[in-house]
Amino acid sequence: MKKAIIVASFGCSIKDSRKKYIETIENAVKVAYKDIDCFRVYTSEIIRKKMKREENLDIDNMKSCLQKLKEENYTHVYVSVTHMIPGFEYEKIIRAVNEYSDSFVKIKIARPFLDEQMGEDEVNVIKSYINTDLKKDEAVVLVGHGTEHDSHKYYEQIEKLLRMNVNNIYIVNIEGSPYIDDVMDELKQKYKRVYLYPFLIVSGDHTLNDIGSDDEDSIRSKIATNGIDVKMFFTGLGENENAVNLFVDRLNGILIV
């Protein structure tokens, strides 16, 4: 029996963000499972090509990694994922695993951060990530990436779960409704201050540009121009200890089955 763990992420071309968020999760997995070989996968072909071009780094995608594991006679493969939702990138993992399913005695995929099974655990992680000590005229706005994939529905579902604990909370998206413009009237009417957080595992280009920049089209600027004080957090869930532990727990869930 020869076991391998793959930590599959979307990827990030910003070196500091990569280290701060993705490698934090990878290192936690390595510490938790010292006796199992651990491998890195990035599912974004754009990120992989950019890293090769700019840093001369070759990062495997799922297929190339599984092919290597097959050639090196691994028998049991466990895939830990750091994706927020089971969207298009997660489906790349599923397709590759299905293609190589006959090459291993066992191959399993862990859950992403949000899915149909989410509940108290995910709510508690998010509560540990944001300011929950809010005054009546203060709100939290979480900004997700958003997608055209059906799994976009999980953003709305987790918002409903969060509002059972934190009333003044909104989830908007960069791509996919609701956009910040869709909730702006309500924010203007109710709140004097907004705590703005990326609802992303990795804080990279989207945080620096689409969410938190001084550009007039950024979400931060749109809120501020409506007379609301904005406190921006340039962070990501990948450095939150509780989020990291959740990903490790997800991996443990498939290792013990």
Side-chain angles (χ1 to χ4, degrees), residues 97-154:
V97 166
N98 287 340
E99 183 176 337
Y100 280 84
S101 60
D102 293 335
S103 300
F104 306 99
V105 174
K106 181 178 287 188
I107 183 166
K108 288 184 165 292
I109 312 170
R111 294 164 51 203
F113 186 75
L114 302 178
D115 63 7
E116 69 280 353
Q117 298 180 52
M118 65 188 178
E120 185 177 356
D121 289 344
E122 292 76 15
V123 167
N124 288 337
V125 167
I126 297 167
K127 285 170 62 180
S128 74
Y129 174 65
I130 62 174
N131 176 18
T132 58
D133 185 20
L134 300 173
K135 298 177 182 177
K136 191 173 182 179
D137 61 356
E138 295 179 331
V140 165
V141 174
L142 290 162
V143 185
H145 186 279
T147 177
E148 295 179 357
H149 192 276
D150 180 62
S151 59
H152 185 85
K153 64 188 177 185
Y154 297 123

Side-chain angles (χ1 to χ4, degrees), residues 40-70:
R40 169 185 288 173
V41 155
Y42 286 174
T43 59
S44 170
E45 295 302 320
I46 293 174
I47 296 296
R48 292 178 64 245
K49 289 176 182 176
K50 187 174 183 181
M51 290 178 64
K52 176 62 177 177
R53 182 175 66 250
E54 296 181 356
E55 303 179 57
N56 197 31
L57 288 176
D58 289 304
I59 307 295
D60 280 319
N61 61 19
M62 277 301 299
K63 289 184 68 172
S64 63
C65 185
L66 290 175
Q67 180 62 33
K68 288 178 182 178
L69 296 183
K70 176 183 176 181

Side-chain angles (χ1 to χ4, degrees), residues 222-239:
K222 286 184 175 182
I223 297 172
T225 55
N226 279 277
I228 302 171
D229 178 42
V230 183
K231 183 170 178 56
M232 174 71 198
F233 294 84
F234 291 89
T235 186
L237 280 160
E239 69 171 349

